Amino acid sequence: FRNDINGLRAIAVIIVVFYHADFVLFKGGWLGVDMFFVISGYLISNIIVSELNLGIFSFRKFYLRRIRRIVPALVFTLLFTIPFGYWLLSPKAMMEYVGSMLASLFFYANYYFQNLDFYNAEPSKFMPLLHTWSLAIEEQFYLLFPLLIFIVYKFKKELVTYVVASLIFYSVFLNLGNYEANDIFYITKFRIWELCVGVFLVFVNKDKLNMNKNSYYLGYILIIGSIFYFDYQVQNFLPKLITLIGVSLIILNKRKYKQLETIFNSNLISTIGLSSYSIYLYHQPIF
């Protein structure tokens, strides 16, 4: 467990909530989701790779852990929203809500919303489960990624970094192409690079890097600068790249710095970080 990564989760969920609350100052708060992807990629692949190295990896145990982590809170969120949806939504909006509820539960919400006709649909601000698109992308990735890593490990372990790097370059290449903004936002292949950046960080020898305090603080400067500087433009690749470089610089630095540790260990930041998944689940339906 790393307090600084938990602190990054706190930052990510705070800026997403403030962005959706229309705080003008946090115009780049949408980047919090991109931060979550990198952090998730790093933490989950760290578990998979560690267990593969020890020879104790089990698909059954891995997926059971993911189910226990994701499903109970998600199901409770859906149950929480049903009476309010029935009471507050118009018949048309209720039909869309029921469709999004099924899509959320079975982790294809990103494709559900990508195919929704937003011109004729209810305004996105009144879709209680719109935010579950990101959860769907994560779970789709982790449905297939362990199998890919397992096969590569069995075939030739040394190729893993090349496979991960190839996925990053493939996804980045797609992002730089002439695609619809809706596709870039919702479809998994355009987001794989963010998760795979987190995966790639697992294989970097952090001891040899010898990262210092300057690079650590630079990471936070890049993240905070992006949040306050960039407006929402899903097809603009630069804000994501700068933010993810910032997150990577922090993750790659294993040292602890007293001033920041004091902040991360505070009850408020620690609790927000640990509760970030639940906060993310509930903020959209409450808004």
Side-chain angles (χ1 to χ4, degrees), residues 7 28 30 32 40 42 51 68 76 101 112 140 192 211 259 268 283:
W30 54 279
S40 181
Y42 178 75
E51 293 185 352
R68 289 178 186 139
F76 200 85
M101 186 167 61
Y112 173 82
Q140 288 160 20
I192 283 176
M211 304 285 280
Q259 298 91 331
L268 179 62
H283 86 281

Side-chain angles (χ1 to χ4, degrees), residues 12-74:
V13 77
I14 288 169
I15 64 175
V16 167
V17 170
F18 284 177
Y19 173 76
H20 285 150
D22 291 330
F23 284 17
V24 177
L25 189 62
F26 291 84
K27 58 185 179 180
W30 54 279
L31 291 164
V33 175
D34 303 275
M35 291 174 63
F36 273 126
F37 283 147
V38 180
I39 295 166
S40 181
Y42 178 75
L43 294 176
I44 300 300
S45 60
N46 209 354
I47 294 169
I48 296 171
V49 171
S50 297
E51 293 185 352
L52 282 171
N53 285 332
L54 293 170
I56 60 171
F57 177 75
S58 162
F59 285 102
R60 180 177 173 274
K61 288 180 180 177
F62 172 77
Y63 289 120
L64 278 175
R65 280 198 303 263
R66 295 304 297 159
I67 289 168
R68 289 178 186 139
R69 164 72 176 149
I70 298 297
V71 174
L74 175 61

Side-chain angles (χ1 to χ4, degrees), residues 26-200:
F26 291 84
K27 58 185 179 180
W30 54 279
L31 291 164
V33 175
D34 303 275
M35 291 174 63
F36 273 126
F37 283 147
V38 180
I39 295 166
S40 181
Y42 178 75
L43 294 176
I44 300 300
S45 60
N46 209 354
I47 294 169
I48 296 171
V49 171
S50 297
E51 293 185 352
L52 282 171
N53 285 332
L54 293 170
I56 60 171
F57 177 75
S58 162
F59 285 102
R60 180 177 173 274
K61 288 180 180 177
F62 172 77
Y63 289 120
L64 278 175
R65 280 198 303 263
R66 295 304 297 159
I67 289 168
R68 289 178 186 139
R69 164 72 176 149
I70 298 297
V71 174
L74 175 61
V75 169
F76 200 85
T77 304
L78 298 179
L79 292 174
F80 168 77
T81 60
I82 288 172
F84 292 100
Y86 181 78
W87 180 39
L88 295 169
L89 297 177
S90 67
K92 186 173 184 296
M94 188 65 185
M95 287 179 65
E96 291 171 2
Y97 162 71
V98 171
S100 68
M101 186 167 61
L102 292 171
S104 303
L105 194 57
F106 293 102
F107 303 117
Y108 65 92
N110 56 326
Y111 290 101
Y112 173 82
F113 289 114
Q114 187 256 339
N115 291 314
L116 200 63
D117 182 4
F118 278 93
Y119 184 78
N120 293 312
E122 294 294 303
S124 59
K125 282 188 177 184
F126 302 126
M127 293 181 180
L129 303 175
L130 179 63
H131 61 318
T132 58
W133 67 268
S134 62
L135 183 61
I137 287 176
E138 281 196 35
E139 296 314 306
Q140 288 160 20
F141 183 77
Y142 289 119
L143 189 65
L144 299 174
F145 176 74
L147 179 61
L148 174 64
I149 293 295
F150 181 81
I151 292 170
V152 176
Y153 251 71
K154 291 296 181 184
F155 176 68
K156 196 169 184 180
K157 180 179 173 180
E158 294 76 16
L159 292 177
V160 172
T161 51
Y162 296 101
V163 171
V164 175
S166 298
L167 287 172
I168 293 172
F169 285 120
Y170 166 71
S171 185
V172 169
F173 177 76
L174 291 177
N175 274 270
L176 298 176
N178 188 24
Y179 292 94
E180 293 290 331
N182 231 28
D183 293 344
I184 292 174
F185 189 87
Y186 286 115
I187 296 180
T188 307
K189 63 183 178 181
F190 293 98
R191 298 284 186 169
I192 283 176
W193 75 276
E194 299 175 80
L195 288 149
C196 281
V197 164
V199 177
F200 192 80

Side-chain angles (χ1 to χ4, degrees), residues 225-245:
S226 299
I227 293 165
F228 294 135
Y229 180 76
F230 290 109
D231 288 318
Y232 174 70
Q233 290 179 310
V234 71
Q235 288 173 298
N236 188 352
F237 186 73
L238 186 61
K240 299 176 187 177
L241 180 62
I242 293 174
T243 304
L244 268 53
I245 288 173

